[in-house]
Amino acid sequence: VALQQRGDLAGAEKLYRSILKQHPKHFQSLSNLGSVLLLAERVEEAIECLRGALNQKPDSAVVQTLLARALAMVDRHDAALERVRRAIALDPNLPEAHAIEAQVLADTGRYDEAAAALGRAIELAPERAGFYHYWGHITRWRAGDPRLAALEALFRTRASRPLPEQIELSFALAKAYADLGDIDRAFPLLIEGG
């Protein structure tokens, strides 16, 4: 897990596979290996591992969500939607599940439903920069949207966040200001984000 968190996907994969040689049905190793393979964009292998993990523990909302994400990556939208909705039924307070549901719905052109799902993800995890960034991809920001005030407050804390989140916050706020017609505030944020 430490290797995975440091970004050493090859090292993490090697250790997970070593554990699975001894214990082929070890839920956490199957789940974590699936996550590593997903990060490495080896999606079909990830799907196999995640299905193996769900054979051991079908009530894992986190693994159902990971599998939904993997299925969405290979355009299996119906299966992805089924999995993510199962995850939400298991744990309605899992923000990642609502975000994946939003992605799948947006990928299939169901933008109003996608916005509702992503709005729920933002409610559950208002500190997640990526959710605001994605909001600007699937909908237009509107004056008076309470998410805008939350985004602006989050943006003020950007210096304490990792660089990828700082970039997401800059681009998210630039898109918000551009949607509202405030190009003078949007343009410097695009430069900052880039």
Side-chain angles (χ1 to χ4, degrees), residues 1 3-5 7-14 16 29-42 46 49-50 66:
V1 172
L3 290 171
Q4 183 175 348
Q5 290 173 342
D8 182 357
L9 301 182
E13 178 184 353
K14 183 178 178 182
Y16 291 137
S29 295
L30 285 164
S31 171
N32 290 352
L33 178 57
S35 179
V36 164
L37 293 168
L38 201 53
L39 288 169
E41 297 184 9
R42 292 164 51 196
C49 282
L50 295 168
L66 284 170

Side-chain angles (χ1 to χ4, degrees), residues 111-191:
Y111 292 104
D112 290 341
E113 292 174 80
L118 190 56
R120 180 68 178 137
I122 291 171
E123 285 173 25
L124 291 168
E127 74 290 346
R128 295 283 295 275
F131 293 168
Y132 297 95
H133 189 221
Y134 192 56
W135 181 263
H137 285 286
I138 65 169
T139 191
R140 290 184 56 82
W141 288 91
R142 290 183 169 52
D145 186 334
R147 286 173 285 265
L148 179 56
L151 172 58
E152 289 172 325
L154 196 59
F155 182 79
R156 288 190 290 274
T157 70
R158 72 190 179 284
S160 65
R161 298 179 167 278
L163 183 59
E165 286 185 36
Q166 292 178 35
I167 293 168
E168 283 182 320
L169 288 168
S170 293
F171 284 138
L173 196 53
K175 173 66 163 67
Y177 290 152
D179 283 354
L180 297 172
D182 193 343
I183 302 304
D184 290 338
R185 288 203 295 177
F187 188 69
L189 291 168
L190 286 174
I191 292 171

Side-chain angles (χ1 to χ4, degrees), residues 36-164:
V36 164
L37 293 168
L38 201 53
L39 288 169
E41 297 184 9
R42 292 164 51 196
V43 181
E44 293 297 339
E45 291 175 80
I47 290 170
E48 184 180 331
C49 282
L50 295 168
R51 283 192 170 136
L54 287 172
N55 285 338
Q56 305 310 311
K57 192 174 177 185
D59 61 344
S60 171
V62 170
V63 178
Q64 292 283 2
T65 301
L66 284 170
L67 182 54
R69 184 171 153 226
L71 291 165
M73 289 172 74
V74 291
D75 297 326
R76 296 183 204 160
H77 296 109
D78 290 341
L81 198 55
E82 179 185 324
R83 289 292 179 171
V84 78
R85 288 191 168 154
R86 193 173 305 165
I88 291 168
L90 290 164
D91 183 357
N93 295 317
L94 185 62
E96 292 79 9
H98 293 280
I100 294 298
E101 181 184 30
Q103 177 192 339
V104 173
L105 290 166
D107 286 349
T108 57
R110 297 161 65 181
Y111 292 104
D112 290 341
E113 292 174 80
L118 190 56
R120 180 68 178 137
I122 291 171
E123 285 173 25
L124 291 168
E127 74 290 346
R128 295 283 295 275
F131 293 168
Y132 297 95
H133 189 221
Y134 192 56
W135 181 263
H137 285 286
I138 65 169
T139 191
R140 290 184 56 82
W141 288 91
R142 290 183 169 52
D145 186 334
R147 286 173 285 265
L148 179 56
L151 172 58
E152 289 172 325
L154 196 59
F155 182 79
R156 288 190 290 274
T157 70
R158 72 190 179 284
S160 65
R161 298 179 167 278
L163 183 59

